[in-house]
Amino acid sequence: MTEKYETQTFYPHAQTEDEQPADAKKAASSLSTTGRLMAYSKQLRNSLNKGLDFTAVLDTLIATNDSEELLTATLRLAEFELDDAYLVFPQQYSRADYYLLFLERLLELHQESSIILNSSDHNKELYHEYPGVNTAGYFVFKVTEENKYGAYYTEVNTGNVLFYLDLRQRILRFNSHDLTNLLVLDYGERFDRNVIQMFQEQFLNIGWYLKKDYGFDVDFNLLDPVNNALYPISDPDVPQQALDRLFIKAAAVNYMLISGPHGEAILDLAEDVQLSLFARDGRWVIAVTDPNNEVSFFDVLFKYDFLHDWYLENRNSLEIRADNLYF
């Protein structure tokens, strides 16, 4: 044992070693050594049992087909203190790793398998890759100091944070700013639309499964295809300059921006898709509606080049706001 745990003999009645009779010193030493060995054996057994408890929870994470058991196991593993003074496990997953494992199992339970989970020996971490873009970047969770149950899903090469996930509070928030930076500006310039569609569908599925299985509070932000979704923009005032520019760009490709009965700006697009801008509760918002609740503002940016360019050129006033509690 190291000096930190060096055996010290206990002498009754606060006597020193020199004050002890020879027979008493021998007996005390023997008793003390026996007691300490028994205490050490007990503590080591407790440490080993704790390791067994840990593996039982890990087995649940790996094998369970019950959604609630999966979440409970992930939370337990994320806060499990495995090491102690008697036993140290040199190879362990981090809290961020367990969040990745949770998503992997969640998607597996729903027969989804488009994310690749890999391990980095160099960085000692798990990470996500996506088919078709694995040469461009990879994704990890970065945990927070403020809330040990919160973590940010981050593309490592660029640092873009795509969403925030809190398993304890059951919250999922998507980040419009970094989604635009990575998927619209970066990947949108380099990869086919089908690749970007894969990201969109995967993120939507994660959100839907968390809502359905656990009742998560989910803000899909600009990914939300539901007709009643409102996308608040960064400029609280009338984005008049941006509206004027939209009128010109739309007219150039034979679309007409019109004014509605309540001052809203309405743009009818193909296939009964309508984009509108209007004030709601003191803030200007963007809305996208379609017959089947399938088209989001994110979709519009890829399908219509003039809207893609218009949004990016006027991003300082039009950018869809993310939840400022997390971004």
Side-chain angles (χ1 to χ4, degrees), residues 24-84:
K25 285 192 289 184
K26 182 178 180 181
S29 175
S30 176
L31 289 171
S32 175
T33 299
T34 300
R36 285 183 174 274
L37 286 174
M38 290 180 65
Y40 170 73
S41 178
K42 179 181 179 181
Q43 185 58 55
L44 189 57
R45 188 181 304 110
N46 290 340
S47 299
L48 291 169
N49 286 334
K50 185 164 64 173
L52 292 174
D53 290 342
F54 172 84
T55 60
V57 180
L58 185 60
D59 288 345
T60 299
L61 173 68
I62 295 168
T64 185
N65 291 319
D66 182 273
S67 296
E68 201 62 44
E69 276 189 352
L70 174 61
L71 180 59
T72 300
T74 305
L75 288 170
R76 285 196 61 193
L77 291 168
E79 62 187 8
F80 212 106
E81 296 291 340
L82 193 55
D83 293 341
D84 57 32

Side-chain angles (χ1 to χ4, degrees), residues 224-227 231 273 288-290 293-297 299-300:
D224 199 338
V226 178
N227 284 347
Y231 313 105
V273 176
V288 176
T289 59
D290 67 285
N293 287 270
E294 292 178 345
V295 181
S296 68
F297 186 64
D299 293 311
V300 165

Side-chain angles (χ1 to χ4, degrees), residues 172 174 203-212 218 220:
L172 176 64
F174 284 94
F203 292 158
L204 285 173
N205 287 339
I206 288 171
W208 295 133
Y209 300 151
L210 290 174
K211 283 174 68 75
K212 176 178 176 292
V218 180
F220 289 101

Side-chain angles (χ1 to χ4, degrees), residues 1-8 36 84-86:
M1 301 178 72
T2 64
E3 184 179 351
K4 179 178 178 182
Y5 304 113
E6 184 177 355
T7 300
Q8 297 181 4
R36 285 183 174 274
D84 57 32
Y86 289 82

Side-chain angles (χ1 to χ4, degrees), residues 243 257-267 274 276-279 284:
L243 289 174
L257 182 68
I258 63 174
S259 179
H262 304 291
E264 65 270 36
I266 301 172
L267 185 64
Q274 185 181 84
S276 55
L277 292 89
F278 53 91
W284 274 73

Side-chain angles (χ1 to χ4, degrees), residues 113-278:
S113 59
S114 59
I115 299 178
I116 302 168
L117 183 65
N118 274 328
S119 176
S120 169
D121 293 333
H122 176 71
N123 295 322
K124 306 296 187 206
E125 66 181 2
L126 298 179
Y127 62 92
H128 275 165
E129 285 184 340
Y130 290 83
V133 298
N134 53 313
T135 58
Y138 64 100
F139 301 79
V140 301
F141 273 109
K142 292 185 180 286
V143 299
T144 70
E145 296 299 327
E146 299 79 13
N147 177 5
K148 69 176 183 177
Y149 298 108
Y152 289 94
Y153 193 73
T154 305
E155 198 287 305
V156 175
N157 290 340
T158 63
N160 284 304
V161 175
L162 304 188
F163 60 82
Y164 172 82
L165 180 64
D166 186 324
L167 295 183
R168 177 69 71 183
Q169 298 298 322
R170 304 197 179 198
I171 290 171
L172 176 64
R173 295 287 185 270
F174 284 94
N175 180 9
S176 54
H177 180 78
D178 284 9
L179 282 169
T180 301
N181 282 345
L182 185 68
L183 300 186
V184 179
L185 284 173
D186 188 350
Y187 287 7
E189 297 289 328
R190 303 160 61 186
F191 301 107
D192 185 82
R193 167 60 180 156
N194 291 334
V195 172
I196 310 302
Q197 185 76 26
M198 173 198 62
F199 276 96
Q200 181 184 19
E201 291 177 355
Q202 193 69 87
F203 292 158
L204 285 173
N205 287 339
I206 288 171
W208 295 133
Y209 300 151
L210 290 174
K211 283 174 68 75
K212 176 178 176 292
D213 294 352
Y214 306 107
F216 266 57
D217 177 6
V218 180
D219 177 7
F220 289 101
N221 207 271
L222 82 172
L223 299 175
D224 199 338
V226 178
N227 284 347
N228 61 7
L230 301 179
Y231 313 105
I233 64 175
S234 57
D235 190 344
D237 300 319
V238 181
Q240 192 58 56
Q241 187 177 56
L243 289 174
D244 293 341
R245 291 172 177 170
L246 178 58
F247 180 86
I248 295 170
K249 282 185 173 290
V253 288
N254 299 316
Y255 289 105
M256 181 60 66
L257 182 68
I258 63 174
S259 179
H262 304 291
E264 65 270 36
I266 301 172
L267 185 64
D268 286 323
L269 301 167
E271 300 173 350
D272 296 324
V273 176
Q274 185 181 84
L275 182 144
S276 55
L277 292 89
F278 53 91

Side-chain angles (χ1 to χ4, degrees), residues 295-311:
V295 181
S296 68
F297 186 64
F298 187 79
D299 293 311
V300 165
L301 294 180
F302 281 93
K303 187 162 187 176
Y304 301 95
D305 290 341
F306 77 98
L307 288 175
H308 171 279
D309 296 342
W310 167 73
Y311 179 69

